[in-house]
């Protein structure tokens, strides 16, 4: 899936980004959850609490600024908490960690905490997934690419209302592992970007809407692939799309990537269009556009 449309101002020469998302690095501190096992949703399910939240503005993390740090105003009146220093960084609050949008095969997916070290971890995961290795100075270009990904992430957070953009993260939801972890952010092993868009090329394949929920930048660390992390991320995207009152979900995949297309098809997406054949003449891989309807939400709209 291609990279989201909101990108930061040009920064110097940027490494080649594959048709997909963005990435960050490690941070300290920890905090574990205390929700009783009986109150947790079964594995492989979408939490009912998440489905019941249909307000237009999901709550922001209650992360405060210390000392003379400043908060950044977001479009729509929200606030982006200041990015703490490494010494100030702590784990995402226990209550927030427990509010998983979806669970699957032991993985839990939640909204990314707006904490400096957690964002750097997200940038790292996406850089690992989308960096194209080069023969010379690969480490240098990887670090540069990772910095670009982090800059793009911060830019989108600063300039997007909380119900128009979200970065979701997947982590191990096992209680014992949470208690043993010294750096909770290091549990993040998968990432996906969710954006409300209104691109004409996609809208012409949809009926009765002026915008849609776009899924992009699905990234999973290499050692955790083929372990249903992607499935968990897609389920959480659907919960968020319902919460944001969207009727269609859309994503792009490479036409020759049968593994990714199989994952999306299994999740309910169908191919509705393809890039023109001439894109291969200029050295680009051909992509397909895949759409998923949200019929459950149709009923909710009629009741309003």
């Amino acid at each position: 899936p291609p990279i989201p449309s909101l990108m930061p101002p040009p920064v110097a020469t940027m490494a080649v980004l594959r048709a997909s998302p963005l990435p960050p690095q490690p941070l300290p501190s920890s905090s574990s959850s205390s929700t009783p096992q009986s109150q947790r949703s079964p594995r492989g399910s979408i939490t009912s609490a998440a489905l019941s939240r249909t307000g237009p503005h999901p709550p922001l993390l209650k992360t405060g600024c210390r000392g003379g740090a400043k908060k950044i105003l977001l479009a729509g009146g929200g606030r982006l908490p200041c990015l703490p220093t490494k010494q100030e960084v702590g784990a995402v609050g226990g209550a927030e960690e427990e509010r998983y949008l979806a669970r699957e095969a032991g993985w839990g997916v939640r909204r990314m905490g707006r904490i400096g070290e957690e964002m750097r971890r997200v940038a790292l995961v996406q850089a690992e997934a989308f960096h194209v290795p080069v023969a010379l100075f690969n480490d240098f270009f990887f670090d540069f690419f990772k910095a670009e990904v982090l800059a793009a992430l911060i830019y989108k957070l600063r300039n997007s209302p909380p119900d128009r953009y979200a970065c979701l993260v997947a982590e191990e939801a096992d209680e014992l592992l949470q208690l043993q972890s010294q750096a909770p952010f290091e549990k993040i092993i998968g990432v996906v970007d969710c954006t409300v868009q209104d691109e004409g090329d996609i809208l012409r394949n949809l009926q009765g809407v002026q915008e849609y929920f776009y899924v992009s930048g699905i990234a999973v660390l290499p050692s955790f692939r083929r372990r249903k992390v992607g499935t968990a991320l897609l389920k959480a995207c659907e919960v968020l799309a319902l919460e944001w009152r969207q009727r269609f979900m859309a994503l792009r995949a490479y036409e020759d990537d049968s593994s990714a297309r199989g994952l999306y098809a299994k999740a309910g997406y169908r191919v509705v269009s393809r890039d023109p054949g001439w894109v291969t003449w200029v050295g680009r891989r051909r992509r397909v556009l895949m759409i998923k309807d949200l019929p459950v939400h149709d009923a909710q709209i009629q009741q309003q």
Side-chain angles (χ1 to χ4, degrees):
I3 308 171
S5 59
L6 281 174
M7 294 295 291
V11 181
T13 309
M14 179 174 176
V16 178
L17 188 78
R18 293 185 187 174
S20 264
L22 314 157
Q25 214 170 10
L27 14 176
S29 213
S30 67
S31 175
S32 58
S33 103
S34 59
T35 302
Q37 184 67 30
S38 61
Q39 297 179 15
R40 298 172 177 271
S41 57
R43 293 184 176 180
S45 65
I46 293 176
T47 61
S48 58
L51 281 173
S52 65
R53 295 196 310 276
T54 56
H57 296 286
L60 295 175
L61 293 182
K62 297 181 179 178
T63 308
C65 299
R66 299 181 181 179
K70 298 180 179 179
K71 289 187 177 181
I72 303 164
L73 287 176
L74 287 173
R79 288 179 179 271
L80 173 63
C82 57
L83 301 184
T85 62
K86 288 187 177 181
Q87 291 72 28
E88 297 173 322
V89 171
V92 179
E96 182 67 24
E97 279 194 27
E98 284 309 305
R99 191 153 38 81
Y100 287 130
L101 294 169
R103 291 171 178 265
E104 175 73 23
W107 311 114
V109 181
R110 59 175 172 81
R111 293 187 71 149
M112 179 191 71
R114 294 177 178 183
I115 296 176
E117 294 299 331
E118 183 151 305
M119 290 193 285
R120 283 190 279 275
R121 175 66 176 186
V122 169
L124 173 64
V125 173
Q126 291 187 313
E128 290 277 3
F130 302 113
H131 172 65
V132 180
V134 294
L136 297 174
F137 307 110
N138 184 65
D139 290 345
F140 168 79
F141 284 110
F142 175 80
D143 289 340
F144 182 82
F145 178 69
K146 182 172 61 179
E148 290 287 345
V149 170
L150 178 57
L153 176 62
I154 294 174
Y155 178 83
K156 288 181 288 185
L157 287 171
R158 288 179 176 177
N159 293 277
S160 303
D163 62 343
R164 307 292 289 183
Y165 170 75
C167 178
L168 306 185
V169 297
E171 62 189 8
E172 294 191 68
D174 184 272
E175 283 187 26
L176 180 60
L177 291 175
Q178 288 181 2
L179 292 173
Q180 294 175 342
S181 176
Q182 297 300 310
F185 59 86
E186 292 187 347
K187 298 183 300 179
I188 296 173
I189 44 80
V191 178
V192 63
D193 279 337
C194 304
T195 315
V196 176
Q197 297 184 358
D198 57 359
E199 182 185 330
D201 287 344
I202 294 182
L203 282 175
R204 67 170 56 113
N205 295 283
L206 310 176
Q207 293 183 349
V209 296
Q210 296 181 330
E211 61 184 22
Y212 54 87
F213 186 95
Y214 190 67
V215 178
S216 64
I218 297 182
V220 178
L221 289 176
S223 59
F224 290 91
R225 290 173 185 170
R226 299 185 182 282
R227 295 172 60 180
K228 293 188 177 297
V229 179
T231 299
L233 288 167
L234 289 174
K235 284 188 175 183
C237 288
E238 183 173 343
V239 172
L240 195 60
L242 289 168
E243 181 177 319
W244 289 358
R245 301 177 183 277
Q246 296 298 317
R247 298 181 61 190
F248 295 97
M249 300 176 68
L251 56 78
R252 288 190 174 96
Y254 288 122
E255 187 176 44
D256 58 0
D257 190 344
S258 58
S259 177
R261 288 181 59 182
L263 171 66
Y264 303 146
K266 190 174 181 180
Y269 291 83
R270 68 183 191 282
V271 175
V272 294
S273 68
R274 290 176 168 78
D275 285 342
W278 58 261
V279 298
T280 58
W281 304 346
V282 293
R284 290 168 50 189
R285 294 168 67 186
R286 195 177 185 188
R287 302 170 305 169
V288 296
L289 173 63
M290 303 183 75
I291 298 295
K292 179 173 183 176
D293 304 64
L294 296 176
V296 173
H297 191 60
D298 289 340
Q300 293 177 348
I301 291 177
Q302 292 173 4
Q303 292 174 6
Q304 296 176 1

